[in-house]
Coordinates of all heavy atoms in Angstrom, one line a residue:
M37 N 169.0 102.3 160.9 CA 167.7 101.7 160.7 C 167.8 100.5 159.7 O 168.5 100.6 158.8 CB 166.8 102.8 160.0 CG 165.4 102.4 159.8 SD 164.3 103.6 158.9 CE 164.7 105.1 159.8
D38 N 167.1 99.5 160.0 CA 167.1 98.3 159.2 C 166.6 98.6 157.8 O 165.6 99.3 157.6 CB 166.2 97.2 159.9 CG 166.3 95.9 159.2 OD1 165.7 95.8 158.1 OD2 166.9 95.0 159.7
P39 N 167.3 98.2 156.8 CA 167.0 98.5 155.4 C 165.5 98.1 155.1 O 164.8 98.7 154.3 CB 168.0 97.7 154.6 CG 169.1 97.4 155.5 CD 168.6 97.4 156.9
R40 N 165.0 97.0 155.7 CA 163.6 96.6 155.4 C 162.6 97.5 155.9 O 161.6 97.8 155.3 CB 163.4 95.2 156.0 CG 164.3 94.1 155.3 CD 164.3 92.8 156.1 NE 164.9 93.0 157.4 CZ 165.0 92.1 158.4 NH1 164.5 90.9 158.2 NH2 165.6 92.4 159.5
V41 N 162.9 98.1 157.1 CA 162.1 99.1 157.7 C 162.1 100.4 156.8 O 161.1 101.0 156.5 CB 162.5 99.4 159.1 CG1 161.7 100.6 159.7 CG2 162.3 98.2 160.0
R42 N 163.3 100.8 156.4 CA 163.4 102.0 155.5 C 162.6 101.8 154.2 O 162.0 102.7 153.8 CB 164.9 102.2 155.2 CG 165.1 103.5 154.3 CD 166.5 103.8 154.1 NE 167.2 104.4 155.2 CZ 167.0 105.6 155.6 NH1 166.3 106.4 154.9 NH2 167.7 106.1 156.6
E43 N 162.7 100.6 153.7 CA 162.0 100.3 152.4 C 160.5 100.5 152.6 O 159.8 101.1 151.8 CB 162.3 98.9 151.9 CG 161.7 98.5 150.7 CD 162.0 97.1 150.3 OE1 163.2 96.7 150.4 OE2 161.1 96.4 149.9
R44 N 160.0 100.0 153.7 CA 158.6 100.1 154.0 C 158.2 101.5 154.3 O 157.1 101.9 153.9 CB 158.2 99.2 155.2 CG 158.3 97.7 154.7 CD 158.1 96.7 155.8 NE 158.2 95.4 155.2 CZ 158.5 94.3 155.9 NH1 158.7 94.4 157.2 NH2 158.7 93.2 155.3
L45 N 159.0 102.3 154.9 CA 158.7 103.7 155.2 C 158.7 104.5 153.8 O 157.9 105.3 153.6 CB 159.8 104.3 156.1 CG 159.6 104.1 157.6 CD1 160.7 104.6 158.4 CD2 158.3 104.7 158.1
E46 N 159.7 104.2 153.0 CA 159.7 104.8 151.7 C 158.4 104.6 150.9 O 157.8 105.5 150.3 CB 160.9 104.4 150.9 CG 162.2 104.9 151.4 CD 162.4 106.4 151.3 OE1 161.7 107.1 150.5 OE2 163.3 106.9 152.0
A47 N 157.9 103.4 151.0 CA 156.6 103.0 150.3 C 155.5 103.8 151.0 O 154.6 104.3 150.2 CB 156.3 101.5 150.4
K48 N 155.5 104.0 152.3 CA 154.4 104.8 153.0 C 154.5 106.3 152.5 O 153.5 106.9 152.3 CB 154.6 104.7 154.5 CG 154.1 103.4 155.0 CD 152.6 103.4 155.1 CE 152.1 102.2 155.8 NZ 150.6 102.0 155.6
I49 N 155.7 106.8 152.4 CA 155.9 108.2 152.0 C 155.4 108.3 150.6 O 154.7 109.3 150.3 CB 157.4 108.6 152.2 CG1 157.8 108.7 153.6 CG2 157.7 109.9 151.4 CD1 159.2 108.9 153.9
A50 N 155.7 107.4 149.7 CA 155.2 107.5 148.3 C 153.7 107.5 148.3 O 153.1 108.0 147.4 CB 155.8 106.3 147.5
E51 N 153.1 106.8 149.2 CA 151.6 106.7 149.3 C 151.0 108.0 149.8 O 149.8 108.2 149.6 CB 151.3 105.6 150.3 CG 149.9 105.2 150.5 CD 149.8 104.2 151.6 OE1 150.5 103.2 151.5 OE2 148.9 104.3 152.5
A52 N 151.7 108.9 150.3 CA 151.2 110.1 151.0 C 150.2 110.9 150.1 O 149.2 111.3 150.5 CB 152.3 111.0 151.4
S53 N 150.6 111.2 148.8 CA 149.8 112.0 148.0 C 148.5 111.3 147.7 O 147.4 111.9 147.5 CB 150.5 112.4 146.7 OG 150.9 111.3 146.0
S54 N 148.5 110.0 147.6 CA 147.2 109.3 147.3 C 146.3 109.3 148.5 O 145.1 109.0 148.4 CB 147.5 107.8 146.9 OG 148.0 107.1 148.0
R55 N 146.8 109.6 149.7 CA 146.0 109.6 150.9 C 145.5 111.1 151.3 O 145.0 111.3 152.3 CB 146.7 109.0 152.1 CG 147.3 107.7 151.9 CD 146.4 106.5 152.2 NE 145.7 106.4 153.4 CZ 146.1 105.7 154.5 NH1 147.2 105.0 154.5 NH2 145.3 105.6 155.5
R56 N 145.9 112.0 150.4 CA 145.7 113.4 150.7 C 144.2 113.7 151.1 O 144.0 114.3 152.1 CB 146.1 114.3 149.5 CG 145.9 115.8 149.8 CD 145.9 116.6 148.5 NE 145.7 118.0 148.7 CZ 144.5 118.5 148.9 NH1 143.4 117.7 148.9 NH2 144.3 119.8 149.2
A57 N 143.3 113.3 150.3 CA 141.9 113.6 150.6 C 141.4 113.1 151.9 O 140.7 113.8 152.7 CB 141.0 113.1 149.4
E58 N 141.9 111.9 152.2 CA 141.5 111.3 153.5 C 142.1 112.1 154.7 O 141.4 112.3 155.6 CB 142.1 109.9 153.5 CG 141.8 109.0 154.6 CD 142.5 107.6 154.4 OE1 142.3 107.0 153.3 OE2 143.1 107.2 155.3
L59 N 143.3 112.4 154.6 CA 144.0 113.2 155.7 C 143.4 114.6 155.8 O 143.1 115.0 157.0 CB 145.5 113.3 155.4 CG 146.2 112.0 155.5 CD1 147.7 112.2 155.0 CD2 146.2 111.4 156.9
V60 N 143.1 115.2 154.7 CA 142.5 116.6 154.8 C 141.1 116.5 155.4 O 140.7 117.3 156.2 CB 142.4 117.2 153.4 CG1 141.5 118.5 153.4 CG2 143.8 117.6 152.9
S61 N 140.3 115.5 155.0 CA 139.0 115.3 155.6 C 139.0 115.1 157.1 O 138.2 115.7 157.8 CB 138.3 114.1 154.9 OG 137.0 113.8 155.4
I62 N 139.9 114.3 157.5 CA 140.0 114.0 159.0 C 140.5 115.3 159.7 O 139.9 115.6 160.7 CB 141.0 112.8 159.3 CG1 140.4 111.5 158.7 CG2 141.3 112.7 160.8 CD1 141.4 110.4 158.7
A63 N 141.4 116.0 159.1 CA 141.9 117.2 159.8 C 140.8 118.3 159.8 O 140.6 119.0 160.8 CB 143.1 117.8 159.0
D64 N 140.0 118.4 158.8 CA 138.9 119.3 158.8 C 137.8 118.9 159.8 O 137.3 119.8 160.5 CB 138.2 119.3 157.4 CG 139.1 120.1 156.4 OD1 140.0 120.8 156.8 OD2 138.8 119.9 155.2
A65 N 137.6 117.6 160.0 CA 136.6 117.2 161.0 C 137.1 117.5 162.4 O 136.2 117.9 163.2 CB 136.4 115.7 160.8
V66 N 138.3 117.4 162.7 CA 138.9 117.7 164.0 C 139.1 119.2 164.2 O 138.9 119.7 165.3 CB 140.2 116.9 164.2 CG1 140.9 117.3 165.5 CG2 140.0 115.4 164.1
G67 N 139.4 119.8 163.2 CA 139.7 121.3 163.2 C 141.1 121.5 162.9 O 142.0 121.0 163.6
R68 N 141.4 122.2 161.9 CA 142.8 122.4 161.4 C 143.7 123.1 162.5 O 144.9 123.0 162.4 CB 142.8 123.2 160.1 CG 142.3 122.4 159.0 CD 143.4 122.1 158.0 NE 142.8 121.4 156.9 CZ 143.3 121.5 155.7 NH1 144.3 122.2 155.4 NH2 142.7 120.8 154.7
G69 N 143.0 123.8 163.4 CA 143.8 124.4 164.5 C 144.4 123.4 165.4 O 145.4 123.6 166.0
A70 N 143.7 122.2 165.5 CA 144.1 121.2 166.4 C 145.1 120.2 165.7 O 146.0 119.7 166.4 CB 142.9 120.4 166.9
V71 N 145.0 120.0 164.4 CA 145.8 119.1 163.7 C 145.9 119.4 162.2 O 144.9 119.9 161.7 CB 145.3 117.6 163.9 CG1 144.0 117.4 163.3 CG2 146.3 116.6 163.4
T72 N 147.0 119.2 161.6 CA 147.1 119.4 160.2 C 147.3 118.1 159.5 O 147.7 117.1 160.1 CB 148.3 120.3 159.9 OG1 149.5 119.6 160.2 CG2 148.3 121.6 160.6
P73 N 147.0 118.1 158.2 CA 147.2 116.8 157.5 C 148.7 116.4 157.5 O 149.0 115.2 157.6 CB 146.8 117.2 156.0 CG 145.8 118.3 156.2 CD 146.3 119.1 157.4
Y74 N 149.6 117.3 157.5 CA 151.0 117.0 157.6 C 151.3 116.4 159.0 O 152.1 115.4 159.0 CB 151.9 118.2 157.4 CG 153.4 117.9 157.5 CD1 154.0 117.3 156.5 CD2 154.1 118.3 158.6 CE1 155.4 117.0 156.5 CE2 155.4 118.0 158.7 CZ 156.1 117.3 157.7 OH 157.4 117.0 157.8
A75 N 150.8 116.9 160.0 CA 151.0 116.3 161.4 C 150.4 114.9 161.4 O 151.1 114.0 162.0 CB 150.4 117.2 162.5
M76 N 149.3 114.7 160.8 CA 148.7 113.4 160.8 C 149.6 112.4 160.1 O 149.8 111.3 160.5 CB 147.3 113.4 160.2 CG 146.3 114.1 161.1 SD 144.7 114.3 160.3 CE 144.4 112.6 159.9
L77 N 150.1 112.9 158.9 CA 151.0 112.0 158.1 C 152.3 111.7 158.9 O 152.7 110.5 158.9 CB 151.3 112.7 156.8 CG 152.3 111.9 155.9 CD1 151.7 110.5 155.6 CD2 152.6 112.7 154.7
A78 N 152.8 112.7 159.6 CA 154.0 112.4 160.4 C 153.7 111.3 161.5 O 154.5 110.4 161.7 CB 154.5 113.7 161.0
G79 N 152.5 111.4 162.1 CA 152.2 110.4 163.1 C 152.0 109.1 162.5 O 152.4 108.0 163.1
M80 N 151.4 109.0 161.3 CA 151.2 107.7 160.6 C 152.5 107.1 160.3 O 152.7 105.9 160.4 CB 150.4 107.9 159.3 CG 148.9 108.2 159.5 SD 148.1 108.7 158.0 CE 148.4 107.3 156.9
L81 N 153.5 107.9 159.8 CA 154.8 107.4 159.5 C 155.6 107.0 160.7 O 156.2 105.9 160.7 CB 155.6 108.5 158.7 CG 155.1 108.8 157.3 CD1 155.8 110.0 156.7 CD2 155.2 107.6 156.4
Y82 N 155.4 107.7 161.8 CA 156.1 107.3 163.1 C 155.5 105.9 163.5 O 156.2 105.0 163.9 CB 155.9 108.3 164.2 CG 156.6 107.8 165.5 CD1 157.9 107.7 165.6 CD2 155.8 107.3 166.5 CE1 158.5 107.2 166.8 CE2 156.3 106.8 167.6 CZ 157.7 106.7 167.8 OH 158.3 106.2 168.9
N83 N 154.2 105.8 163.4 CA 153.5 104.6 163.8 C 154.1 103.4 163.0 O 154.4 102.3 163.5 CB 152.0 104.7 163.7 CG 151.3 103.5 164.2 OD1 151.4 103.2 165.4 ND2 150.5 102.9 163.4
S84 N 154.2 103.6 161.7 CA 154.7 102.6 160.8 C 156.1 102.3 161.1 O 156.5 101.1 161.2 CB 154.6 103.1 159.3 OG 155.0 102.1 158.4
F85 N 156.9 103.3 161.3 CA 158.3 103.1 161.7 C 158.4 102.2 163.0 O 159.2 101.2 163.0 CB 159.0 104.4 161.9 CG 160.3 104.4 162.7 CD1 161.4 103.8 162.2 CD2 160.3 104.9 164.0 CE1 162.6 103.8 163.0 CE2 161.4 104.9 164.8 CZ 162.6 104.3 164.3
Y86 N 157.7 102.6 164.0 CA 157.8 101.9 165.3 C 157.3 100.5 165.1 O 158.1 99.6 165.6 CB 156.9 102.7 166.3 CG 157.0 102.1 167.7 CD1 158.0 102.4 168.5 CD2 156.0 101.1 168.1 CE1 158.1 101.9 169.8 CE2 156.1 100.6 169.4 CZ 157.1 100.9 170.2 OH 157.2 100.4 171.4
Y87 N 156.2 100.2 164.5 CA 155.7 98.9 164.5 C 156.4 98.0 163.5 O 156.6 96.8 163.7 CB 154.2 98.8 164.3 CG 153.5 99.2 165.6 CD1 153.0 100.5 165.8 CD2 153.5 98.3 166.7 CE1 152.4 100.9 167.0 CE2 152.9 98.7 167.9 CZ 152.4 100.0 168.0 OH 151.9 100.3 169.2
Q88 N 156.9 98.6 162.4 CA 157.7 97.8 161.5 C 159.0 97.4 162.1 O 159.5 96.3 161.9 CB 157.9 98.6 160.1 CG 156.7 98.7 159.3 CD 156.2 97.3 158.8 OE1 156.9 96.4 158.6 NE2 154.9 97.2 158.8
T89 N 159.6 98.3 162.9 CA 160.8 97.9 163.6 C 160.6 96.8 164.6 O 161.4 95.8 164.6 CB 161.4 99.2 164.4 OG1 161.7 100.2 163.4 CG2 162.7 98.8 165.1
R90 N 159.5 96.9 165.3 CA 159.2 95.8 166.2 C 158.9 94.5 165.4 O 159.3 93.4 165.8 CB 157.9 96.1 167.0 CG 158.3 97.2 168.1 CD 157.1 97.4 169.0 NE 156.6 96.2 169.7 CZ 157.0 95.7 170.8 NH1 158.0 96.2 171.4 NH2 156.5 94.6 171.3
R91 N 158.2 94.6 164.3 CA 157.9 93.4 163.5 C 159.1 92.8 162.8 O 159.3 91.6 162.9 CB 156.8 93.8 162.5 CG 156.3 92.6 161.7 CD 155.1 93.1 160.9 NE 154.8 92.1 159.9 CZ 154.8 92.4 158.6 NH1 155.0 93.6 158.2 NH2 154.6 91.5 157.7
V92 N 159.9 93.6 162.2 CA 161.0 93.2 161.4 C 162.2 92.8 162.3 O 162.8 91.7 162.1 CB 161.4 94.2 160.4 CG1 162.8 93.9 159.7 CG2 160.3 94.4 159.3
C93 N 162.5 93.6 163.3 CA 163.7 93.4 164.1 C 163.4 92.7 165.4 O 164.3 92.3 166.1 CB 164.3 94.8 164.4 SG 164.8 95.7 162.9
G94 N 162.1 92.6 165.8 CA 161.7 92.0 167.0 C 162.1 92.8 168.3 O 162.3 92.2 169.3
R95 N 162.1 94.1 168.1 CA 162.5 94.9 169.3 C 162.0 96.4 169.0 O 161.6 96.7 167.9 CB 164.0 95.0 169.5 CG 164.7 95.4 168.2 CD 166.2 95.7 168.5 NE 166.9 96.0 167.2 CZ 166.8 97.1 166.6 NH1 166.1 98.1 167.1 NH2 167.5 97.3 165.5
D96 N 162.0 97.2 170.1 CA 161.7 98.6 169.9 C 162.9 99.3 169.2 O 164.0 98.8 169.2 CB 161.6 99.3 171.3 CG 160.3 98.8 172.0 OD1 159.4 98.2 171.4 OD2 160.2 99.1 173.2
P97 N 162.6 100.4 168.5 CA 163.6 101.1 167.8 C 164.6 101.7 168.8 O 164.2 102.1 170.0 CB 162.9 102.3 167.1 CG 161.5 102.1 167.3 CD 161.3 101.0 168.3
T98 N 165.9 101.8 168.5 CA 166.9 102.4 169.3 C 166.8 103.9 169.2 O 166.2 104.4 168.2 CB 168.3 101.9 168.9 OG1 168.6 102.4 167.6 CG2 168.4 100.4 168.9
R99 N 167.5 104.6 170.1 CA 167.5 106.1 170.0 C 168.2 106.5 168.6 O 167.7 107.5 168.0 CB 168.3 106.7 171.1 CG 167.6 106.6 172.4 CD 168.3 107.3 173.5 NE 167.5 107.3 174.7 CZ 167.7 108.2 175.7 NH1 168.6 109.2 175.6 NH2 166.9 108.1 176.7
A100 N 169.2 105.8 168.2 CA 169.8 106.1 167.0 C 168.9 105.9 165.8 O 168.9 106.7 164.8 CB 171.1 105.2 166.8
E101 N 168.1 104.9 165.8 CA 167.1 104.6 164.8 C 166.0 105.7 164.8 O 165.6 106.2 163.7 CB 166.5 103.3 164.9 CG 167.4 102.1 164.5 CD 166.9 100.8 164.9 OE1 166.2 100.6 165.9 OE2 167.3 99.8 164.2
V102 N 165.6 106.1 166.0 CA 164.6 107.2 166.0 C 165.2 108.5 165.5 O 164.5 109.2 164.7 CB 164.1 107.4 167.5 CG1 163.2 108.7 167.6 CG2 163.3 106.2 168.0
R103 N 166.4 108.8 165.8 CA 167.1 110.0 165.2 C 167.2 109.9 163.7 O 166.9 110.8 163.0 CB 168.5 110.1 165.8 CG 169.4 111.2 165.2 CD 168.9 112.6 165.3 NE 168.6 112.9 166.7 CZ 167.7 113.8 167.1 NH1 167.1 114.5 166.2 NH2 167.5 114.1 168.3
E104 N 167.5 108.7 163.2 CA 167.5 108.5 161.7 C 166.2 108.7 161.1 O 166.1 109.3 160.1 CB 168.1 107.1 161.4 CG 168.4 106.9 160.0 CD 169.0 105.5 159.7 OE1 169.4 104.8 160.7 OE2 169.0 105.1 158.5
F105 N 165.1 108.2 161.8 CA 163.8 108.4 161.3 C 163.4 109.9 161.3 O 162.9 110.4 160.3 CB 162.7 107.7 162.2 CG 161.3 108.1 161.9 CD1 160.7 107.6 160.7 CD2 160.7 108.9 162.7 CE1 159.4 108.0 160.5 CE2 159.3 109.3 162.5 CZ 158.7 108.8 161.3
V106 N 163.7 110.6 162.3 CA 163.5 112.1 162.4 C 164.2 112.8 161.3 O 163.7 113.7 160.6 CB 163.8 112.6 163.8 CG1 163.8 114.1 163.9 CG2 162.9 112.0 164.9
D107 N 165.5 112.5 161.1 CA 166.3 113.1 160.0 C 165.7 112.8 158.7 O 165.6 113.7 157.8 CB 167.7 112.6 160.1 CG 168.5 113.1 161.3 OD1 168.0 114.1 162.0 OD2 169.5 112.5 161.6
M108 N 165.2 111.6 158.5 CA 164.6 111.2 157.2 C 163.3 112.0 157.0 O 163.1 112.5 155.9 CB 164.3 109.7 157.3 CG 163.6 109.1 156.0 SD 163.3 107.4 156.4 CE 162.3 107.0 154.9
L109 N 162.5 112.1 158.0 CA 161.3 112.8 157.9 C 161.6 114.3 157.6 O 160.9 114.9 156.8 CB 160.4 112.7 159.2 CG 159.0 113.2 159.1 CD1 158.2 112.4 158.0 CD2 158.4 113.0 160.5
G110 N 162.6 114.9 158.3 CA 162.9 116.3 158.1 C 163.4 116.5 156.7 O 163.0 117.5 156.1
A111 N 164.2 115.6 156.1 CA 164.7 115.8 154.8 C 163.6 115.7 153.7 O 163.6 116.3 152.7 CB 165.7 114.7 154.5
R112 N 162.5 114.9 154.0 CA 161.4 114.7 153.1 C 160.3 115.6 153.4 O 159.3 115.6 152.6 CB 160.9 113.2 153.2 CG 162.0 112.2 152.8 CD 162.4 112.1 151.4 NE 161.3 111.8 150.5 CZ 161.0 110.6 150.1 NH1 161.6 109.5 150.6 NH2 160.0 110.4 149.3
G113 N 160.3 116.4 154.5 CA 159.2 117.2 154.9 C 158.7 118.1 153.8 O 157.5 118.2 153.6
P114 N 159.5 118.9 153.1 CA 159.0 119.8 152.1 C 158.2 119.1 151.0 O 157.2 119.5 150.5 CB 160.2 120.5 151.6 CG 161.2 120.5 152.7 CD 160.9 119.1 153.4
D115 N 158.7 117.9 150.6 CA 158.1 117.1 149.6 C 156.7 116.6 150.1 O 155.7 116.6 149.3 CB 158.9 115.9 149.2 CG 160.2 116.3 148.5 OD1 160.3 117.4 147.9 OD2 161.2 115.5 148.6
L116 N 156.7 116.2 151.3 CA 155.4 115.7 151.9 C 154.4 116.9 152.0 O 153.2 116.7 151.7 CB 155.6 115.1 153.3 CG 156.5 113.8 153.3 CD1 156.8 113.4 154.7 CD2 155.8 112.7 152.5
E117 N 154.8 118.0 152.4 CA 153.9 119.2 152.5 C 153.4 119.5 151.2 O 152.2 119.8 151.0 CB 154.6 120.4 153.1 CG 154.9 120.2 154.6 CD 155.4 121.5 155.2 OE1 154.7 122.4 155.5 OE2 156.7 121.5 155.4
R118 N 154.2 119.5 150.1 CA 153.7 119.8 148.8 C 152.7 118.8 148.3 O 151.7 119.1 147.7 CB 154.9 119.9 147.8 CG 155.6 121.3 147.8 CD 156.5 121.4 146.6 NE 157.7 120.5 146.7 CZ 158.8 120.6 147.4 NH1 158.9 121.7 148.2 NH2 159.7 119.8 147.4
A119 N 153.0 117.5 148.6 CA 152.1 116.5 148.2 C 150.7 116.6 148.9 O 149.7 116.4 148.2 CB 152.6 115.1 148.5
L120 N 150.7 117.1 150.1 CA 149.4 117.3 150.8 C 148.7 118.6 150.5 O 147.5 118.7 150.7 CB 149.7 117.2 152.3 CG 150.1 115.8 152.8 CD1 150.4 115.8 154.3 CD2 149.0 114.8 152.5
D121 N 149.4 119.6 150.0 CA 148.8 120.9 149.7 C 148.2 120.9 148.3 O 147.5 121.9 148.0 CB 149.9 122.0 149.7 CG 150.3 122.3 151.2 OD1 149.5 122.0 152.1 OD2 151.4 122.9 151.4
R122 N 148.4 119.9 147.5 CA 147.8 120.0 146.1 C 146.3 120.1 146.1 O 145.6 119.6 146.9 CB 148.2 118.7 145.4 CG 149.6 118.6 145.1 CD 149.9 117.4 144.3 NE 151.4 117.3 144.3 CZ 152.0 116.2 143.9 NH1 151.3 115.2 143.5 NH2 153.3 116.1 143.9

């Protein structure tokens, strides 16, 4: 993954706890059985990863980059869940 994309993703991850109320509100409106705040955050991060890769690198992410993103998200998953459960 391009270091500039990783840096932007790290900033988005750091922003997670400040968006908690917004994500919980949206999840409650849709129904928590349909979507969780964590799933919404994962989607937001994927969207950021995908479009930042296109913007910074001028191309779609490679399979290796997607795998790196998934691994990154998995490693940070417990921290993100804790940030959203507060």
Side-chain angles (χ1 to χ4, degrees):
M37 181 183 315
D38 186 284
R40 298 168 293 177
V41 174
R42 179 177 286 283
E43 181 181 317
R44 289 175 183 158
L45 279 175
E46 291 293 343
K48 284 283 186 193
I49 289 170
E51 181 184 313
S53 61
S54 69
R55 309 273 311 260
R56 180 194 177 281
E58 184 180 312
L59 294 170
V60 169
S61 177
I62 294 168
D64 287 344
V66 173
R68 291 247 184 149
V71 66
T72 65
Y74 180 75
M76 290 176 53
L77 178 60
M80 289 170 55
L81 292 172
Y82 177 74
N83 187 59
S84 181
F85 159 72
Y86 183 85
Y87 286 103
Q88 287 300 324
T89 301
R90 287 187 53 89
R91 185 169 162 239
V92 169
C93 302
R95 57 172 174 74
D96 290 347
T98 65
R99 285 185 179 205
E101 288 169 328
V102 171
R103 172 63 52 208
E104 190 176 345
F105 168 75
V106 169
D107 291 345
M108 178 183 173
L109 191 60
R112 300 291 296 274
D115 295 332
L116 295 171
E117 286 185 81
R118 277 192 295 281
L120 293 174
D121 286 338
R122 290 184 194 166

